[in-house]
């Protein structure tokens, strides 16, 4: 629709609208390579900070899904023979109770694992191998349950070691 010279546009930017069109893209600014939030490290992997944030965030989302699933099952089991409204209320209460609990625990474990892993790599002068990851898994389990006594520390350390070794074994299969 052409502007009528008798009635000027109320848009104060009308005279320069063609110069600053949001649809014009300068091809010099387009890059072919993949961009990441933080720069790559010297070994071609994502930096430790970026891996830390990814692991924590994805673990939290996984924990929300797992905790919510647990809450749905718990809510249905707690309300046999109830009306639909009471059953729905029970399910929602259980989801609200279990979802954040599991999500926070899993995210804290992922955060601790990544911090311990980065610290071990730094302590070993940048050597990043499977021994770091397995050791970090064991230390994470031990630190997570350190207030529960020596038996719980040993069990959690063993569980962390087994989970880390399983993740290393599954990594080539899942291509993570």
């Amino acid at each position: 629709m052409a502007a009528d010279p008798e009635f000027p546009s109320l848009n104060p930017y009308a005279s320069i609208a063609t110069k600053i069109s949001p649809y014009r893209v300068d091809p010099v600014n387009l890059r072919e390579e993949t961009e990441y939030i933080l720069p790559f490290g010297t070994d071609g992997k994502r930096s430790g900070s970026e891996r830390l944030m990814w692991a924590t965030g994805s673990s939290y989302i996984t924990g929300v899904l797992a905790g919510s699933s647990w809450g749905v099952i718990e809510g249905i089991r707690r309300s046999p023979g109830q009306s639909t409204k009471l059953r729905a209320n029970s399910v929602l209460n259980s989801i609200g109770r279990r979802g954040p609990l599991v999500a926070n625990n899993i995210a804290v474990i992922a955060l601790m694992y990544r911090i311990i892993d980065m610290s071990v790599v730094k302590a070993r002068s940048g050597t990043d191998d499977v021994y770091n990851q397995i050791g970090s898994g064991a230390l994470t389990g031990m630190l997570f349950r350190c207030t529960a006594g020596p038996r719980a520390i040993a069990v959690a350390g063993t569980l962390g070691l087994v989970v880390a070794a399983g993740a290393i074994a599954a990594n080539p299969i899942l291509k993570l």
Side-chain angles (χ1 to χ4, degrees), residues 41-121:
T42 57
D43 58 353
K45 294 182 179 179
R46 292 182 186 208
S47 69
S49 300
E50 193 169 359
R51 287 188 285 167
L52 179 118
M53 294 300 160
W54 180 85
T56 305
S58 61
S59 297
Y60 187 84
I61 292 170
T62 302
V64 165
L65 294 174
S68 297
S69 300
W70 180 17
V72 167
I73 293 168
E74 181 182 62
I76 290 172
R77 285 187 181 163
R78 282 188 171 187
S79 60
Q82 300 289 331
S83 68
T84 306
K85 286 184 179 183
L86 288 176
R87 186 167 250 193
N89 188 15
S90 175
V91 167
L92 291 174
N93 285 340
S94 295
I95 288 172
R97 182 173 37 255
R98 299 296 179 197
L101 174 76
V102 173
N104 289 337
N105 283 335
I106 290 177
V108 165
I109 290 170
L111 181 70
M112 288 185 343
Y113 172 79
R114 279 294 168 197
I115 290 172
I116 291 171
D117 188 46
M118 288 188 306
S119 301
V120 169
V121 169

Side-chain angles (χ1 to χ4, degrees), residues 12 17 24 37 75 80 86 92 95 99 119 121 137 145-147 149 151 163:
R24 291 188 184 166
I37 297 171
L86 288 176
L92 291 174
I95 288 172
S119 301
V121 169
R145 298 297 295 170
C146 70
T147 60
R151 183 174 184 274
V163 169

Side-chain angles (χ1 to χ4, degrees), residues 1-9:
M1 181 171 146
D4 189 0
E6 201 171 314
F7 300 103
S9 173

